[in-house]
Amino acid sequence: MMDSTEQKLSELMNEVTAVSPQLADFWQATAIIESLGYTDRIIQKEFGFPDALSVGKYIYDHQQREKGQKAIAPPVRNWRTTLEDFRLFLQQFSRSFVYTLPLVLIVLLEYFHIKSETSILPAQLASLITLSTITSLCTSGGFVQIISRRGEFYTQINEPLQAQRVCLLLLYLGMTTTIILSLIGLFFGLYRGLVADEYLILSTWYYLLLSILWMLLAFLSIQLPWSPLVILLGLSALFLVFRLALRWGSLEAQIVAMFITLVIVAILVVWLTKHQKLPKDNPEPVELPKVSATTYLLMPYFCYGIGYFCFIFADRIVAGIAINPAYGIIFAIDSFYQRQMDLALLNFLLMVPFVEYFSYIFIRFWYQAAKQVAVKNQQKLAKKLFIRYWLIVTAIIIVFATSVTITINLFKPATWDMEATLEVLLGCLGYLFLVIAILNAILLFSLNQGRVVFQTLLPSLVLNFTVGYILAHTITVACAVIGLIIGAAMFMLLSGQKVFQAIAHLNYAYYVGGY
C-alpha cells in the first residue's frame, strides 16, 4: 500500500492531469500546481520536494513515461484498410478525372483522324470558341473552388442542409457574375465590330453553357459525390452519338450535348433543393454565416481557383494573342502548337488525381502522428515528414514519366519530327513542375495557409505570362511554353519553401493554422 505522501502525490498528479491531460513542458505543470494553491512551504511539508518547480518536473516526467508505456500501436494493415484506401483513391480520382474527359475526347478524335473542329469552322469562329473555353474555365474556376470548399466543410460537420443553403447562394453569385461578364463581352464585341455578330452571339452562348455547367456540377457533387462522373460520362456519350453516329459538326454536337446535360443537371439541382428536409433534432434552420466572414475565409480559395486555370492556359493565351493582326483575327492558337500542348496537358490532368491522393495520405499521417508525438520529439516527426514528402515527389515523377511515355507512344502522329516531340516534352516538364507545386499548395491549404498559396502563385503567374509573351512575340509562338516552365518552376520553389518551413517549425505552423 502507498503511504500518505505517495497518496497525496498521486492525488496531485490526478489534479494536474485533469487540468491538462497532455502537458507541453514542466513549466506548464509548475504553473498548474501553483494555480491549485500549492506554495513552496506546503509542497515541502506535504510531498518532500523543495519547491513547486521540482514537483512540476517530477509530474511532467512521470506523465511522459506513462505516455511512452501507453503509446498507441500503429494500425494493423488488413484487407479492410487496404480496401478503404483503394476506395479513397477511386473517390479522389473520379472527382478530378471527370474534368479530364472533354480533353480526352478531343485528343481521341484528333489522333484517330476524325476531322477536327478547327478544320470545319471559320477561323474567326474557331478562335472565339477557343477563347470562350479558356475564359469559362478561368472565370468559373474560382466559384467552383469556393462551392466545393464550403460544401465539403459543412458536410464534414454533418450539416448537409447548411451546405446546400450556403453553396446555393454561392452558385447564384457565380451564375450572376457569369451572365454579367458574358453581356459585357457581347456588348463590347458588338460595339467594336471585331467579328461577325452571329459568331459573337454563338461564342457567348457557348461560354454561358460551359461556365454554368461547371458550377452546377460543383454544387451537385456536394449532395451526390459520384454524380459529376456519371453526368460527364453521359455528356461524352451524347457528344459521340451526335458527332459520329449522326455526323453532326463538332461545335453543334458540343453545344447540343452541353445544353441537354445542363437542363438535366438544373432539374436535378432544383429537385434536390426542394426535397431537402430539416433534421428532426433541429427543425429550425441555422442562421447563415456573415457575408464578411465568408468572404474573408473563401477569398484565397477563389483567387486560387482563378489563378489555377490561368496558369494552366497562360501559354495558350499568350500564343493566341501573338498572332499577326494582318490575318484579321483577334485571337488564334496555332493548331500545331495546340495539339502538342493538348498532349502535354492530358498528362497533367491525369496526374492531378494522384497528387490529390498522395497529399491526402501525407496529411492523414501528419495529423495522426501530431496527436501522439510529444513536444520534445517534434524534430523526429519533422524528419519523418521530410522523408515522406520526398518519397511522394519521387513517386509523382515516376508516375508522370510513365504517363508521358505511354501517351506519346499512343497518340503522337507519325508525321511529328524530333522538334515537335521535344516541344511536347518541354510542355510536360512545365506541367510536372506545376503538379509538384499543386502538391505543395494542397498541403498549405490543409494547414490553413491559403493566403500563402496565393502569395506564391501570383508572382509565378505574372512571370509565366511575361516570359511567354516576350518570347512568343520576339522569337516564335512555340516559345510560349518557356514561360510555363519558368513560371511553374518558380511556383514549385516558392510553395515548396513554405512547406519546408512549416515542417521544420511544426509548432509555429500549428499556431498559424489555428490548431
Side-chain angles (χ1 to χ4, degrees), residues 404-479:
V404 170
T405 303
I406 294 173
T407 53
I408 289 181
N409 288 329
L410 282 178
F411 299 124
K412 186 185 76 170
T415 56
W416 281 11
D417 56 12
M418 183 60 68
E419 181 180 353
T421 305
L422 179 60
E423 290 178 0
V424 174
L425 292 177
L426 287 175
C428 291
L429 178 62
Y431 284 125
L432 173 61
F433 291 156
L434 185 56
V435 160
I436 298 175
I438 290 173
L439 169 68
N440 297 331
I442 295 174
L443 298 181
L444 291 172
F445 274 125
S446 300
L447 295 172
N448 291 332
Q449 298 190 31
R451 280 169 176 74
V452 173
V453 176
F454 183 68
Q455 291 168 1
T456 60
L457 173 62
L458 183 59
S460 306
L461 181 60
V462 172
L463 183 65
N464 187 350
F465 274 110
T466 303
V467 174
Y469 182 85
I470 294 173
L471 295 180
H473 281 76
T474 57
I475 304 177
T476 179
V477 170
C479 290

Side-chain angles (χ1 to χ4, degrees), residues 161-177:
L161 181 60
Q162 190 74 346
Q164 184 186 94
R165 295 172 64 210
V166 173
C167 292
L168 196 60
L169 293 178
L170 296 175
L171 176 63
Y172 290 155
L173 178 61
M175 293 173 63
T176 303
T177 304

Side-chain angles (χ1 to χ4, degrees), residues 116-135:
S116 66
E117 181 178 348
T118 54
S119 63
I120 62 173
L121 292 179
Q124 285 188 341
L125 180 57
S127 64
L128 285 176
I129 293 300
T130 302
L131 184 60
S132 297
T133 303
I134 295 174
T135 306

Side-chain angles (χ1 to χ4, degrees), residues 370-386:
K371 296 177 182 177
Q372 304 173 23
V373 175
V375 175
K376 63 181 181 181
N377 295 326
Q378 295 282 22
Q379 292 303 316
K380 293 182 180 179
L381 174 59
K383 185 177 180 180
K384 291 181 180 180
L385 292 174
F386 275 121

Side-chain angles (χ1 to χ4, degrees), residues 109 113-117 119-120 243 250:
L109 292 176
H113 308 291
I114 297 175
K115 205 171 185 182
S116 66
E117 181 178 348
S119 63
I120 62 173
R243 183 74 180 92
S250 182

Side-chain angles (χ1 to χ4, degrees), residues 152-370:
E152 185 176 1
F153 170 76
Y154 285 113
T155 302
Q156 291 294 328
I157 62 174
N158 199 26
E159 290 287 347
L161 181 60
Q162 190 74 346
Q164 184 186 94
R165 295 172 64 210
V166 173
C167 292
L168 196 60
L169 293 178
L170 296 175
L171 176 63
Y172 290 155
L173 178 61
M175 293 173 63
T176 303
T177 304
T178 299
I179 294 172
I180 292 174
L181 290 176
S182 62
L183 291 177
I184 292 174
L186 179 62
F187 290 151
F188 178 79
L190 293 174
Y191 175 75
R192 295 295 302 272
L194 299 174
V195 294
D197 293 351
E198 58 271 22
Y199 294 167
L200 194 59
I201 294 172
L202 187 60
S203 61
T204 302
W205 177 245
Y206 187 88
Y207 166 80
L208 275 173
L209 282 178
L210 197 56
S211 300
I212 295 175
L213 180 59
W214 290 136
M215 288 185 282
L216 285 174
L217 286 176
F219 178 83
L220 196 60
S221 66
I222 300 167
Q223 308 291 327
L224 305 171
W226 294 93
S227 59
L229 177 61
V230 176
I231 290 168
L232 283 183
L233 283 173
L235 170 62
S236 303
L238 275 177
F239 171 76
L240 291 176
V241 169
F242 295 148
R243 183 74 180 92
L244 302 179
L246 302 181
R247 297 292 178 181
W248 287 9
S250 182
L251 181 59
E252 293 89 337
Q254 286 183 51
I255 291 178
V256 174
M258 283 194 301
F259 180 74
I260 294 174
T261 306
L262 180 64
V263 171
I264 294 173
V265 173
I267 293 173
L268 189 56
V269 167
V270 171
W271 185 85
L272 285 173
T273 54
K274 294 294 185 182
H275 289 78
Q276 184 72 39
K277 297 180 179 179
L278 289 169
K280 295 180 179 179
D281 57 345
N282 187 18
E284 295 295 328
V286 181
E287 185 178 354
L288 290 173
K290 293 183 178 180
V291 175
S292 57
T294 303
T295 303
Y296 177 81
L297 290 172
L298 296 182
M299 187 55 67
Y301 300 103
F302 179 77
C303 295
Y304 174 75
I306 295 176
Y308 173 82
F309 284 105
C310 287
F311 209 109
I312 292 175
F313 295 112
D315 66 298
R316 297 165 189 257
I317 297 173
V318 168
I321 61 180
I323 190 170
N324 191 335
Y327 293 122
I329 304 175
I330 59 173
F331 182 92
I333 304 175
D334 180 77
S335 59
F336 191 63
Y337 177 77
Q338 181 163 341
R339 291 181 70 184
Q340 293 170 341
M341 294 309 296
D342 280 348
L343 196 53
L345 180 61
L346 177 62
N347 288 281
F348 168 79
L349 294 175
L350 290 173
M351 195 65 218
V352 168
F354 289 94
V355 171
E356 293 184 347
Y357 177 72
F358 288 150
S359 62
Y360 170 78
I361 60 176
F362 182 87
I363 289 296
R364 183 179 63 181
F365 167 79
W366 189 345
Y367 283 0
Q368 291 175 349

